[in-house]
Amino acid sequence: MSGGGGGKGKKGRGGLGGKSRGHAPVASARLEGLPVEERGVYEAEIIGLSHDGEGVGRANGFTLFIRGAVPGDRVRVRVTKLKKSFGYAELVDLLEPSPDRVAPPCPIYDACGGCQLQHLSYDAQLRWKRQTVVDSLTRIGKFAVRDDGNGEGIVVHPTWGMDEPWRYRNKVQVPIGERDGGLVGGFYAQNSHDIIDMEACLIQHEQGDAVVNAVKAIGRRLGIEAYNEATHRGLLRHVVVKVGFSTGDIMVVLITNGDVIPHRESWIRGIRETVPGVRSICQNVNTEQTNVIFGDVTRVLWGEAYIYDYIGDIRFAISARSFFQVNPVQTEKLYRQALDYAALGGSETVIDAYCGIGTISLFLAQRARRVYGVEIVGEAIADARRNAALNGAGNVDFAVGRAEEIIPAWREQGIVPDVIVVDPPRKGCEPSLLDTMLAMRPERIVYVSCNPATLARDLRQLADGGYTVREVQPVDMFPWTVHVECCSLLVRK
Ligand code: SAH
């Protein structure tokens, strides 16, 4: 699963009167005879949601994508762009609201774009997320899905949501800019690099907001300049805050364009006085002209180099740059499900492909004889090894490299897995890796995925190679965004 959801993207979702998207118009000759016209105003019934959260409507029988509309709405829209078989439109009037429509609680929802579904009730979101999984499995994977436990096919369970679907993110990354001579920080306005100030983000931990606001206030008082992308001048680029949900630990990282932080001691004192839980204040230096947030050099300004958090009873060390799942509450549910599906008795050999910092590997290691983890990013494997040591897990081996290269090498070495777990990024697994997995003939395969489309494609290859896809559990890792995570169980026929 890749980080994904809830990030402060630049891609907004205009509500009423929102901007149209930049789709190129098609030559008008090709569009003759369509039942709608560009700039025409029509009534539409919303019958679905696209994968990026736009309402899918029908006007005169023609399909239109409409930002800000939800299934069940009856709306009046203006067509903004036409293609041969579908078009885009903007919302003009809400004629009859869907029973699933709610008022977005966030005051900056429309301008921000980090969330896409705050205007849809949480229940409806969870239903929709399951449905996107079902649709991918049937349309892309050509699988039968069993409904309500009846008939043949894959069981797709209801999406596991959060009891409290707000304030779930443990990491805040805020770009810093200047307005009227003072620091501001929040998110980029749609399609621009202008920074809009943000006091609160409802999906991030409260302490994250508190720290960012404190840093902005202290910076203003000390006369600190924000980094300016256009001139490549100024100091403060980003503020990153990480919070350990179960430990209360807080880490603050100031990302600076240059080595020297003026009034360094005042910064440190100010942050410590305003935010009592702070255990680590770091500086990361990034002098490149780039959108990448972190540079290569990190130094501790005050306190520890690491903070800690738990997922289940496994302890993880988190550094300024290390990856950590952003929703620890749901991550625990997802990985417990992976462990359940692996059905380990203690004697098994398990491979964890795309293991990242070893989160799933360490879960599995509690119940397996030996776990082999592979991951392409060397720093993540260094973290994985540190985490294994931290938890006294002596039965895990980690390797740096491509899963599709390392796992065949393991096979040559005579490693015979009883269970293979994969958790690939959005693009899914390489077909050659799936072939290797089939050749290794593990009893079970557990496929964790952040993209239902590539999941369905890969499950098809595994099913054709001799595995039965038993069940899929969707988990809501990123409430109010369009992302959905799944854990799937395959068993050898
Ligand atoms: N389970 C992990 C997260 C997996 S995210 C955890 O909880 O930490 C997917 C991971 O796959 C990322 O860490 C990414 O760096 C890694 N990756 C991407 N392509 C890869 C490849 N070809 N081989 C191995 N790892 C890869």
Side-chain angles (χ1 to χ4, degrees), residues 58 71 103 127 181 236 268 317 405 428 455 471:
R58 307 279 282 171
R127 275 184 272 122
L236 191 58
I268 295 170
E405 288 166 11
L455 172 69
E471 45 187 302

Side-chain angles (χ1 to χ4, degrees), residues 418-478:
D418 301 288
V419 180
I420 298 181
V421 179
V422 297
D423 182 6
R426 289 191 65 78
K427 70 176 183 327
C429 298
E430 287 290 321
S432 70
L433 172 65
L434 298 171
D435 282 338
T436 306
M437 288 163 58
L438 290 170
M440 287 174 119
R441 296 176 44 79
E443 214 150 290
R444 287 167 173 253
I445 296 174
V446 179
Y447 193 134
V448 180
S449 161
C450 58
N451 183 344
T454 54
L455 172 69
R457 179 200 68 198
D458 291 354
L459 292 184
R460 173 42 62 202
Q461 189 179 336
L462 293 169
D464 291 345
Y467 282 76
T468 305
V469 184
R470 283 260 180 91
E471 45 187 302
V472 178
Q473 176 63 61
V475 180
D476 191 21
M477 297 280 274
F478 307 106

